[in-house]
Amino acid sequence: GENVEQHPSTLSVQEGDSAVIKCTYSDSASNYFPWYKQELGKGPQLIIDIRSNVGEKKDQRIAVTLNKTAKHFSLHITETQPEDSAVYFCAATAGGSYIPTFGRGTSLIVHP
Amino acid sequence: KAGVTQTPRYLIKTRGQQVTLSCSPISGHRSVSWYQQTPGQGLQFLFEYFSETQRNKGNFPGRFSGRQFSNSRSEMNVSTLELGDSALYLCASSTPEEETQYFGPGTRLLVL
């Protein structure tokens, strides 16, 4: 089955810095890669996603890149703000599976 | 459109008891998935229901079961509770047309 590795497990940055979270996946059949943000006491919320026919996608301060050949994808957050502090999860879904495999999560701490 | 709702939000049980958790998906979503989230194991897939049928199942013992009703609402049941079942149980819904899963706030279960 699919295996998703996520690094780092903890990331501490100063407000205004950029943050990068990296994930690798094992199943070449995976073609959908969502990223979720989970705040304390809440369920994961989708923040951005990318499909395998696209190399990069941006949404304001958030961007995701995908390298299908290397089987890795990354989340980039620019101009970080204290409200970006949360746990971020990457996931990979194989076509037709409907069930994503999640990474272990990255705790992002943005210091004011 | 209302999001995924889960009840109850918090639950305390003792070992050996059983528990039933409820999930109401986003209107129009026919797929409901359940996940167990713990600090040590991350997000682990329990099972997925689609049109009242279990379509996918994770690697959990038979003490964990679920069902889906004709209105797409779903319940999961855990029998003979163990201390290790203490976790946040998340429900997510999706449509057949897209792979994106939308999560509810979760039910936090504490087994004493």
Side-chain angles (χ1 to χ4, degrees):
Chain A
E2 176 66 278
N3 182 48
V4 177
E5 299 284 339
Q6 182 172 347
H7 299 280
S9 57
T10 305
L11 181 57
S12 182
V13 301
Q14 289 296 129
E15 182 177 0
D17 287 350
S18 294
V20 180
I21 302 171
K22 299 182 179 182
C23 289
T24 60
Y25 62 99
S26 61
D27 189 349
S28 57
S30 289
N31 61 2
Y32 175 63
F33 307 90
W35 285 88
Y36 289 86
K37 173 184 181 182
Q38 186 174 25
E39 297 174 293
L40 205 59
K42 298 183 179 180
Q45 299 300 307
L46 179 75
I47 56 171
I48 195 168
D49 55 10
I50 191 168
R51 298 187 183 277
S52 57
N53 58 348
V54 176
E56 183 176 5
K57 185 177 178 181
K58 288 183 180 179
D59 183 3
Q60 300 182 350
R61 297 185 296 107
I62 294 173
V64 57
T65 58
L66 171 65
N67 183 325
K68 284 173 52 181
T69 303
K71 293 183 190 169
H72 66 71
F73 56 113
S74 301
L75 177 71
H76 304 252
I77 305 174
T78 59
E79 300 173 24
T80 54
Q81 301 166 3
E83 51 265 39
D84 293 329
S85 296
V87 178
Y88 292 80
F89 292 94
C90 64
T93 307
S97 165
Y98 303 103
I99 307 302
T101 300
F102 287 87
R104 296 295 292 269
T106 296
S107 177
L108 173 64
I109 304 166
V110 181
H111 298 280
Chain B
K1 189 181 272 192
V4 177
T5 58
Q6 293 187 243
T7 56
R9 292 294 313 276
Y10 305 93
L11 209 48
I12 300 176
K13 292 286 187 178
T14 56
R15 280 182 299 173
Q17 287 187 311
Q18 73 163 14
V19 66
T20 299
L21 312 181
S22 180
C23 170
S24 292
I26 293 171
S27 177
H29 287 196
R30 290 161 58 195
S31 170
V32 174
S33 297
W34 288 90
Y35 295 84
Q36 181 193 67
Q37 186 177 29
T38 59
Q41 299 298 320
L43 271 161
Q44 292 191 287
F45 170 71
L46 282 155
F47 29 66
E48 183 230 0
Y49 286 87
F50 178 77
S51 293
E52 302 180 66
T53 301
Q54 187 180 87
R55 185 164 65 174
N56 288 286
K57 188 178 188 304
N59 189 27
F60 275 81
R63 299 185 298 107
F64 292 82
S65 62
R67 59 177 176 168
Q68 187 180 33
F69 302 95
S70 58
N71 61 358
S72 294
R73 191 177 69 84
S74 177
E75 289 182 346
M76 69 162 281
N77 185 78
V78 187
S79 63
T80 319
L81 284 165
E82 302 177 358
L83 295 179
D85 297 333
S86 294
L88 180 67
Y89 289 88
L90 292 160
C91 165
S93 73
S94 63
T95 68
E97 295 78 24
E98 61 171 334
E99 295 123 312
T100 304
Q101 296 203 333
Y102 297 89
F103 285 85
T107 294
R108 186 162 296 282
L109 172 65
L110 177 62
V111 182
L112 301 176

